[in-house]
Amino acid sequence: MRNLCKRVEQWLTAISIFLLDLLESLHGEHKDQVSPIGALKFILERHISNLDNWAITTKVFIILHRSLQNKRVNRKVVRDLKKNEHLLHPYQKKNPDNKYNIRMFMEISRQYSVYIKYYMNTCIKTDILVKPRKGFGEEVAKLSMAEILRNYEYFEGLSTQIFDMFQHTNFCKQTRLFSNVIFMLLKDLMEIYRIYHQHISEILERFPSLGKKEAQKAFVMFQNFVNLTEAIKNKANKLIYIFNFPITLPEFYTPERGLLDTLRVVVSHAGDEGEAPSN
């Protein structure tokens, strides 16, 4: 049995390496041998024919997740993956039983599938997640308030789903694959936080000039960002300790003393939409 398990693990590792090589074609490095569409087609075919294998479905999701994180290939992956969104099924046990491990495999796979679809659809609606870091502040400064508030909804949606999956930390640390899933999600959370932080900086710059409705929404956005900051600080440090992840945490935001009360006053004195704030 040990030899069989070892062979299966070696085979899964070989499949993973092969799929990653195919993903490299999305960079154009092997465009003569494999097209980007061909690479994704192979990956999805491998996925759909192994839905009863939690290890393969998880590895395929991780590979797709990595490609979405990669700013060089994100747009190509999103475009082709969206056409095949209906194939992103989670792990499915044909004859499910009451074993705890099987139930957890299915639940984590289901949540991961939902998350990847949400991330993909977010990338279709906005390119804010793949903007280069250089000059990012200037890019955010060009956004309208409507765009900033819309992006805020995406940040909240992504971070909520990530924290939902973090609830399975104790189970995930038992397997290398699910540990990798947690690592990928933590990387996303750190990047989302960085982008979210830049939006908050822009919001604070504009706050005095906002109308009543926008000021109210901006205030809620600021409050939620402060709460998310505390939640990330607590969770990220624990995850890094448990899994020994090689992740450097960002410099977390600390609001100036009394800022929340000041913003409340600004909101209460803000003018109606389209009007200047009252004196």
Side-chain angles (χ1 to χ4, degrees):
M1 177 61 91
R2 284 184 180 178
N3 289 336
L4 176 60
C5 292
K6 185 176 181 180
R7 288 198 299 272
V8 169
E9 177 61 27
Q10 289 173 341
W11 179 75
L12 288 173
T13 300
I15 287 292
S16 178
I17 293 173
F18 182 47
L19 293 180
L20 285 171
D21 285 342
L22 287 178
L23 253 296
E24 284 299 315
S25 69
L26 292 168
H27 289 284
E29 296 175 17
H30 306 295
K31 60 185 179 182
D32 294 335
Q33 291 81 20
V34 186
S35 68
I37 294 177
L40 278 175
K41 181 180 178 182
F42 178 88
I43 292 170
L44 292 172
E45 285 177 351
R46 176 64 62 180
H47 174 70
I48 204 68
S49 62
N50 288 279
L51 292 177
D52 60 344
N53 188 313
W54 70 268
I56 292 181
T57 55
T58 303
K59 285 197 173 187
V60 169
F61 283 153
I62 289 174
I63 291 167
L64 294 176
H65 191 176
R66 285 180 62 180
S67 65
L68 290 172
Q69 286 180 338
N70 190 315
K71 295 180 181 182
R72 289 178 59 193
V73 303
N74 174 278
R75 307 316 295 171
K76 294 179 181 178
V77 172
V78 165
R79 183 180 62 247
D80 294 329
L81 193 57
K82 179 62 180 177
K83 299 175 185 177
N84 295 285
E85 183 177 3
H86 61 287
L87 299 179
L88 298 179
H89 299 296
Y91 162 64
Q92 299 170 0
K93 181 72 173 176
K94 293 181 179 178
N95 298 304
D97 48 36
N98 292 321
K99 289 184 178 179
Y100 174 73
N101 280 9
I102 298 298
R103 295 200 310 271
M104 289 302 298
F105 289 156
M106 293 176 69
E107 177 59 16
I108 294 172
S109 183
R110 181 193 67 78
Q111 288 185 318
Y112 200 21
S113 172
V114 170
Y115 175 78
I116 288 174
K117 291 177 185 178
Y118 188 88
Y119 191 105
M120 174 191 68
N121 285 306
T122 297
C123 290
I124 289 172
K125 296 171 184 175
T126 176
D127 62 353
I128 200 67
L129 296 177
V130 294
K131 291 279 188 183
R133 293 198 176 194
K134 186 177 181 179
F136 185 73
E138 289 80 0
E139 290 292 331
V140 174
K142 296 176 185 176
L143 298 176
S144 67
M145 275 303 300
E147 290 172 321
I148 288 176
L149 292 171
R150 183 193 62 187
N151 288 343
Y152 154 67
E153 294 178 0
Y154 300 145
F155 303 151
E156 286 292 309
L158 288 164
S159 58
T160 296
Q161 291 190 45
I162 290 172
F163 272 94
D164 284 345
M165 292 195 69
F166 283 168
Q167 294 179 20
H168 306 306
T169 295
N170 288 335
F171 183 83
C172 288
K173 70 181 181 181
Q174 300 175 29
T175 67
R176 186 171 61 182
L177 273 178
F178 284 146
S179 295
N180 287 338
V181 171
I182 297 296
F183 177 72
M184 299 287 289
L185 293 170
L186 185 57
K187 282 183 62 179
D188 276 355
L189 189 59
M190 294 301 98
E191 183 66 6
I192 292 165
Y193 180 79
R194 180 187 68 82
I195 297 171
Y196 197 165
H197 191 177
Q198 188 63 55
H199 280 61
I200 289 297
S201 297
E202 183 62 27
I203 281 285
L204 293 176
E205 288 286 333
R206 300 185 190 186
F207 216 98
S209 63
L210 298 179
K212 174 73 78 174
K213 290 183 179 179
E214 285 185 340
Q216 289 172 336
K217 292 177 181 177
F219 181 72
V220 171
M221 179 177 174
F222 177 77
Q223 282 184 306
N224 288 340
F225 175 75
V226 172
N227 293 336
L228 179 64
T229 298
E230 291 304 311
I232 292 178
K233 281 197 288 188
N234 292 332
K235 178 59 72 172
N237 281 305
K238 291 178 181 177
L239 292 175
I240 290 173
Y241 175 77
I242 292 171
F243 293 95
N244 195 28
F245 287 150
I247 290 181
T248 301
L249 296 180
E251 183 176 343
F252 290 109
Y253 175 75
T254 301
E256 295 178 13
R257 187 173 183 179
L259 178 58
L260 205 59
D261 291 333
T262 300
L263 293 179
R264 283 196 182 96
V265 173
V266 175
V267 171
S268 67
H269 288 82
D272 293 329
E273 190 172 359
E275 298 180 6
S278 59
N279 294 324

